[in-house]
């Protein structure tokens, strides 16, 4: 699957520059997942799968998606230390009850099938970020476009 990077190339006076996408097309999603299970030997395929899923679910270019996976965390849920995860999704827009339910189902499905973390041992947290509280490429996202 090839996703557009969201950048257009142009050459003013023989200098190649990247034109940032307009802020209304850029939601800069961050997917951060904390696990209390050991890091799998092949974590890169999982990271790529979660990056593509985040882009697909939020409807944005994968080029602006960041995925952070933290394994071997101390997490208890319900007083028990069995396999568990905390999923945090930060995004400029695209956070609503309807969308959050879609994200919940999508990410829980992957963690269950790929890492065998039970659905009732996964919490999700959604944060709708203000563009002025998100920095990227030496700018605030609110200053793009």
């Amino acid at each position: 699957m090839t996703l557009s990077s969201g950048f257009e190339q142009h050459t003013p006076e023989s200098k190649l520059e990247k034109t940032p996408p307009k802020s209304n097309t850029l939601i800069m999603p961050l997917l951060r997942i904390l696990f209390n299970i050991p890091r799998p030997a092949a974590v890169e395929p999982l990271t790529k799968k979660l990056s593509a899923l985040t882009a697909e679910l939020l409807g944005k270019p994968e080029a602006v998606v960041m995925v952070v996976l933290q394994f071997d965390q101390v997490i208890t849920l319900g007083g028990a230390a069995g396999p568990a995860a905390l999923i945090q999704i930060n995004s400029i827009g695209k956070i609503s009850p309807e969308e959050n339910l879609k994200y919940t189902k999508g990410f829980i499905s992957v963690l269950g099938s790929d890492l065998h973390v039970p659905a009732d041992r996964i919490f999700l947290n959604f944060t709708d970020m203000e563009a002025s509280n998100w920095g990227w490429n030496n700018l605030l996202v609110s200053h793009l476009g």
Side-chain angles (χ1 to χ4, degrees), residues 31-35 39-40 43-44 46-48 50 67-71 73 111 115:
L31 174 69
R32 181 174 180 227
I33 309 177
L34 292 81
F35 302 94
R39 178 184 168 150
V43 75
E44 187 174 339
L46 175 64
T47 304
K48 288 182 177 184
L50 289 167
V67 175
V68 178
L69 303 180
Q70 296 176 275
F71 293 92
Q73 301 297 300
L111 297 190
L115 297 174

Side-chain angles (χ1 to χ4, degrees), residues 9-141:
Q9 298 288 334
H10 62 91
T11 316
E13 302 178 354
S14 75
K15 190 168 126 182
L16 188 63
E17 294 180 1
K18 287 189 170 186
T19 303
K22 301 293 184 196
S23 60
N24 63 350
T25 66
L26 194 65
I27 58 170
M28 307 299 286
L30 166 65
L31 174 69
R32 181 174 180 227
I33 309 177
L34 292 81
F35 302 94
N36 66 349
I37 59 175
R39 178 184 168 150
V43 75
E44 187 174 339
L46 175 64
T47 304
K48 288 182 177 184
K49 182 177 190 175
L50 289 167
S51 180
L53 179 62
T54 301
E56 178 186 329
L57 289 174
L58 277 79
K60 294 299 172 176
E62 191 172 2
V64 296
V65 172
M66 179 179 279
V67 175
V68 178
L69 303 180
Q70 296 176 275
F71 293 92
D72 295 310
Q73 301 297 300
V74 177
I75 300 173
T76 61
L77 178 57
L86 170 63
I87 301 173
Q88 299 171 316
I89 300 173
N90 294 2
S91 176
I92 299 170
K94 302 296 284 185
I95 301 293
S96 71
E98 297 80 18
E99 290 168 315
N100 296 349
L101 181 59
K102 177 177 69 171
Y103 308 149
T104 298
K105 290 178 179 184
F107 290 115
I108 284 178
S109 175
V110 170
L111 297 190
S113 64
D114 290 26
L115 297 174
H116 310 292
V117 179
D120 66 347
R121 303 276 305 158
I122 301 171
F123 276 10
L124 292 93
N125 179 267
F126 309 96
T127 304
D128 192 353
M129 303 288 296
E130 293 290 328
S132 61
N133 291 333
W134 203 268
W136 174 73
N137 198 22
N138 293 317
L139 295 169
L140 295 178
V141 174

